[in-house]
């Protein structure tokens, strides 16, 4: 059976799309300026998320535009190799694949983007496949895609409308990136998108900026007006689940060591959505998300440390036995 036939029969439960870039990382806990070698990989919030979902044993598709260049080909092949459907990915001569450089020093990560006028930034609504989107249960999107260009914002809104038209739930992580646009530009786009989501997964620091307040009660009041279930990452050693005005604080899984923080939020989102797909109650889904985020930071790379379902279960079961 050909690969094309396999891809046609594969119906993802979860879909996501956005920009994946080539990634060059300094080695040996050195800054890029002083590192003699750079490790090659790739990264992008949405593809990180997709790999996390696939490793936990669920069907997931990622799509976007990549340059028809060595980086684009590498990214497409490696995402496919992780069990993610890439049948709707487009390789184009129109523009190159984006690139990012990263250095992780003493557990703190610094990222430098080279993504202006990249292939992904030229995404347009006509690149969407509505028949593909309507088959899914959940569409996961992030604010990073909206920050890339006006046409990307239009594409993101079009995808959200398609999902809602066909009863596909929308999961939205604002993923505020102030290196890509101003806070004022971001607010004007991200806040209306949050109003359309079924699951809203912001960080607490992001909300303080977006809502222009440090007051947690005011933030909860704003979130309680949304139709979405909100899961707020980044509290004091806990995550907040906000549903129908009720706040539930759920403790983090502690990381044994922190090597590279990039990708932790994407892993969290993947774990949470898989918990939802498995029919967990929302607090248990948050626990699975927290575990994924904890494991993601313990290895260099944006997605390499994300666990399989078997490993996640082993850690969860050990954690529960310790608690007893």
């Amino acid at each position: 059976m050909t690969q094309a036939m396999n891809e046609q029969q594969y119906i993802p439960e979860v879909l996501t799309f956005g920009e994946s870039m080539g990634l060059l990382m300094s080695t040996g806990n050195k800054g890029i300026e002083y590192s003699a070698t750079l490790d090659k990989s790739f990264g992008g919030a949405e593809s990180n998320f997709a790999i996390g979902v696939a490793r936990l044993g669920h069907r997931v598709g990622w799509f976007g535009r990549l340059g028809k260049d060595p980086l684009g080909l590498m990214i497409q092949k490696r995402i496919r190799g992780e069990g993610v459907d890439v049948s709707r990915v487009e390789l184009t001569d129109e523009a190159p694949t984006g690139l990012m450089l990263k250095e992780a020093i003493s557990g703190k990560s610094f990222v430098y983007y080279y993504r202006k006028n990249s292939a992904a930034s030229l995404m347009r609504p006509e690149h969407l496949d509505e028949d593909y989107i309507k088959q899914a249960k959940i569409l996961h999107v992030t604010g990073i895609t909206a920050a890339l260009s006006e046409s990307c914002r239009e594409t993101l809104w079009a995808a959200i409308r398609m999902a809602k038209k066909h009863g596909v739930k929308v999961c939205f992580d604002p993923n505020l990136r102030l290196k890509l646009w101003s806070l004022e530009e971001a607010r004007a786009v991200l806040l209306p998108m949050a109003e359309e989501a079924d699951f809203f997964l912001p960080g607490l620091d992001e909300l303080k900026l977006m809502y222009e307040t440090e007051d947690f009660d005011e933030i909860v009041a704003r979130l309680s007006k949304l139709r979405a279930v909100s899961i707020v990452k980044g509290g004091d050693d806990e995550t907040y689940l906000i549903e129908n005005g009720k706040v539930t604080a759920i403790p983090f899984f502690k990381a044994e060591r922190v090597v590279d923080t990039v990708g932790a939020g994407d892993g969290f989102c993947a774990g949470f959505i898989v918990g939802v797909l498995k029919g967990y109650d929302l607090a248990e889904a948050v626990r699975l998300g927290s575990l994924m985020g904890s494991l993601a930071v313990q290895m260099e790379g944006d997605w390499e440390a994300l666990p399989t379902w078997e490993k996640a279960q082993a850690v969860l079961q050990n954690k529960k036995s310790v608690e007893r």
Side-chain angles (χ1 to χ4, degrees):
M1 185 176 290
T2 67
Q3 177 184 311
M5 290 174 67
N6 277 325
E7 287 177 340
Q8 288 173 2
Q9 293 176 0
Y10 185 99
I11 301 176
E13 300 165 272
V14 184
L15 287 179
T16 189
F17 73 98
E19 178 165 41
S20 286
M21 297 162 285
L23 169 61
L24 298 177
M25 296 179 290
S26 61
T27 60
N29 206 35
K30 294 179 181 178
I32 293 168
E33 182 180 356
Y34 304 105
S35 184
T37 60
L38 298 173
D39 284 342
K40 182 187 73 173
S41 184
F42 69 94
E46 298 83 7
S47 56
N48 298 341
F49 165 85
I51 290 169
V53 172
R55 286 191 176 179
L56 292 178
H58 282 261
R59 301 188 309 278
V60 58
W62 172 84
F63 60 93
R65 301 189 92 210
L66 297 166
K68 193 180 291 184
D69 50 40
L71 285 177
L73 291 168
M74 179 267 293
I75 291 168
Q76 183 187 39
K77 290 175 182 177
R78 292 188 70 181
I79 295 176
R80 179 191 291 132
E82 287 291 330
V84 176
D85 180 45
V86 294
S87 61
R88 300 311 191 273
V89 170
E90 181 183 355
L91 295 170
T92 178
D93 289 320
E94 215 178 344
T97 304
L99 176 68
M100 61 177 167
L101 304 182
K102 185 170 70 172
E103 52 192 12
I105 303 172
S106 300
K108 187 172 180 60
S109 299
F110 302 89
V111 176
Y112 309 91
Y113 293 126
Y114 300 85
R115 61 201 303 180
K116 187 175 182 180
N117 298 321
S118 66
S121 74
L122 303 181
M123 280 191 292
R124 299 183 295 276
E126 55 264 34
H127 295 136
L128 297 171
D129 182 342
E130 185 169 351
D131 288 336
Y132 187 60
I133 290 172
K134 75 180 184 181
Q135 297 178 93
K137 296 177 181 177
I138 297 173
L139 173 70
H140 175 76
V141 294
T142 84
I144 296 174
T145 304
L148 297 178
S149 66
E150 181 61 36
S151 69
C152 282
R153 284 192 283 282
E154 293 171 358
T155 305
L156 192 53
W157 274 118
I160 291 171
R161 287 193 293 270
M162 288 177 188
K164 295 176 74 67
K165 173 183 174 183
H166 296 289
V168 178
K169 292 189 179 299
V170 175
C171 176
F172 178 52
D173 181 348
N175 246 322
L176 183 61
R177 294 289 186 271
L178 295 180
K179 287 185 178 181
L180 298 179
W181 56 355
S182 71
L183 182 56
E184 291 70 26
E185 290 175 306
R187 278 197 196 105
V189 175
L190 301 183
L191 293 178
M193 284 186 176
E195 293 177 359
E196 299 300 322
D198 296 282
F199 302 106
F200 182 41
L201 281 73
L204 183 57
D205 287 341
E206 291 174 320
L207 289 175
K208 290 177 179 178
L209 292 170
M210 290 164 59
Y211 288 152
E212 300 181 86
T213 181
E214 295 282 326
D215 188 301
F216 182 71
D217 290 337
E218 184 176 341
I219 289 171
V220 170
R222 294 282 296 270
L223 292 173
S224 298
K225 293 179 181 177
L226 299 177
R227 60 186 296 272
V229 172
S230 295
I231 294 89
V232 181
K233 303 162 284 183
D236 293 331
D237 298 325
E238 54 197 3
T239 300
Y240 303 107
L241 167 63
I242 301 168
E243 184 180 18
N244 299 322
K246 179 185 176 184
V247 180
T248 304
I250 301 163
F252 288 158
F253 275 89
K254 298 290 187 181
E256 293 180 7
R257 60 176 185 155
V258 177
V259 176
D260 183 351
T261 57
V262 176
D266 308 323
F268 180 98
C269 292
F272 172 76
I273 287 301
V274 166
V276 171
L277 290 171
K278 290 184 179 298
Y280 289 6
D281 66 50
L282 291 175
E284 284 300 306
V286 169
R287 277 174 54 81
L288 181 56
S290 177
L291 171 64
M292 292 286 283
S294 171
L295 293 175
V297 303
Q298 298 186 49
M299 184 186 296
E300 288 185 350
D302 287 17
W303 51 269
E304 285 84 346
L306 294 171
T308 62
W309 177 243
E310 290 74 19
K311 182 175 180 180
Q313 280 295 94
V315 176
L316 282 169
Q317 289 167 5
N318 180 61
K319 182 70 175 179
K320 289 178 180 178
S321 66
V322 169
E323 288 177 346
R324 287 197 295 270

